Amino acid sequence: KIKGSEDWYSIKSRQFNPSFLKRFENYQKMLEVMIPDFDFKPWMFSQVPDGWWKNRENQKLYMDNLGKELGLSKPEDWYKLKYEDVELSLMTLYGDSPENLVRSFFPKFSFKSWKFNRISRNWWGNFNNQQAYIDDLGKELGFTEPQDWYKLKKDHLESSFFALYKNSRLLV
């Protein structure tokens, strides 16, 4: 039974008369015409139309909504995005990488890979990536001279990389 507009997401197109549905491009378009005052979110249906996720405008619509839901307003807030937060069909288009997805929507922002919840399997094996991480850690700690690194404490590492390592899945 349909009690509210949200209930339409659980209805399958096969529950409608096929000759009635032929008047519309798809089930979702039919609902948009029949219930014009409700802002339907296509990704909330059990299935989206073929090719829907490949359309950049649709991706932006979804990402804007996801950002609002998760409270992500600034580019740096998107470091909090987890793989599980994103529709699988969209994640697949970006190599199952939240970082790749986020970078595609903020191309001018200089993201730091190690701050994402997941990074690629070989990322830490690259010396340049290790150096970039250490340089950033030094800046965060206010280190300006090589001898400042003698001040490095176990807590500094635990609060940055090791906390990240323990609390997230670094390997994709």
Side-chain angles (χ1 to χ4, degrees), residues 152-169:
L152 184 67
K153 294 185 166 77
K154 179 181 169 190
D155 293 347
H156 294 138
L157 292 174
E158 286 178 351
S159 65
S160 59
F161 173 73
F162 290 110
L164 184 72
Y165 182 78
K166 285 190 272 185
N167 297 325
S168 68
R169 298 186 324 179

Side-chain angles (χ1 to χ4, degrees), residues 93-109:
L93 293 174
Y94 290 90
D96 293 326
S97 168
E99 179 183 0
N100 291 346
L101 174 62
V102 170
R103 282 182 185 275
S104 79
F105 281 92
F106 300 98
K108 294 180 180 171
F109 188 80

Side-chain angles (χ1 to χ4, degrees), residues 16-46:
F16 287 91
N17 181 314
S19 59
F20 175 72
L21 279 179
K22 284 181 184 176
R23 299 176 176 181
F24 305 94
E25 186 179 329
N26 57 52
Y27 167 64
Q28 294 168 20
K29 292 288 184 196
M30 184 265 308
L31 288 176
E32 289 172 5
V33 169
M34 303 301 282
I35 311 169
D37 295 337
F38 188 74
D39 181 25
F40 283 102
K41 295 173 176 58
W43 58 89
M44 292 185 66
F45 288 97
S46 60

